[in-house]
Amino acid sequence: MKDSSDYLREAAEYIAEHGHHKGSYEHWSAGAEHPVTCALGALRRVTGDRGMMGGRFYEAAALLGSHLEREGLIPRYEGVVPLSHIPIWNDAPERTAEDVILAMKRAAEDE
C-alpha cells in the first residue's frame, strides 16, 4: 500500500515529466495529453483525491507542508497544518520546477 512519501515522489515525477504551473492546480494546453500542475495539483492527480481535508491528498500535502516549515520556506503556526501556505510558496516568482521537485523528494525522505 502506498504512503504519503510514495505520493510525494510520484507527484515530483509528474511535475518533472509534465511541467510545473503557478496560479491554479493545473493548466491544460491545447493538444496536451496531461496538464501542467502546481505542487498540490500534482498531489491531487497522483492520489486521485479531489477534496482538501482528509485522505491521501491531505496527508501527503501535510507532509510537504511540514517539510517546508522545517526548512523555513513557509511560516510556522503552532497546531496548524500549513496547507494554505503551499500555494504561496509554489507560486512565488522565483520558484522553479526544480525547487518544487526537490522539496517533494526531500519531504518524502523526511518521513
Side-chain angles (χ1 to χ4, degrees):
M1 178 173 232
K2 292 181 183 179
D3 64 13
S4 295
S5 292
D6 296 323
Y7 290 120
L8 282 168
R9 283 187 283 274
E10 286 182 21
E13 289 172 17
Y14 184 94
I15 291 172
E17 183 174 343
H18 302 292
H20 177 238
H21 180 63
K22 298 179 183 185
S24 62
Y25 282 119
E26 60 187 36
H27 175 75
W28 286 87
S29 295
E33 290 185 36
H34 301 280
V36 294
T37 64
C38 69
L40 294 181
L43 283 172
R44 285 178 66 169
R45 288 220 149 247
V46 301
T47 63
D49 287 350
R50 295 293 176 243
M52 284 297 289
M53 300 306 290
R56 298 175 301 256
F57 167 81
Y58 179 82
E59 297 203 0
L63 183 59
L64 175 60
S66 294
H67 170 78
L68 295 174
E69 272 188 342
R70 280 191 302 282
E71 295 296 315
L73 299 171
I74 62 174
R76 178 182 298 266
Y77 295 103
E78 194 64 38
V80 176
V81 177
L83 299 184
S84 63
H85 293 285
I86 295 172
I88 296 166
W89 171 80
N90 179 90
D91 293 353
E94 69 277 8
R95 192 75 52 236
T96 66
E98 291 76 23
D99 294 335
V100 175
I101 292 164
L102 185 59
M104 289 178 143
K105 288 180 177 179
R106 286 185 175 160
E109 293 169 6
D110 285 351
E111 187 174 62

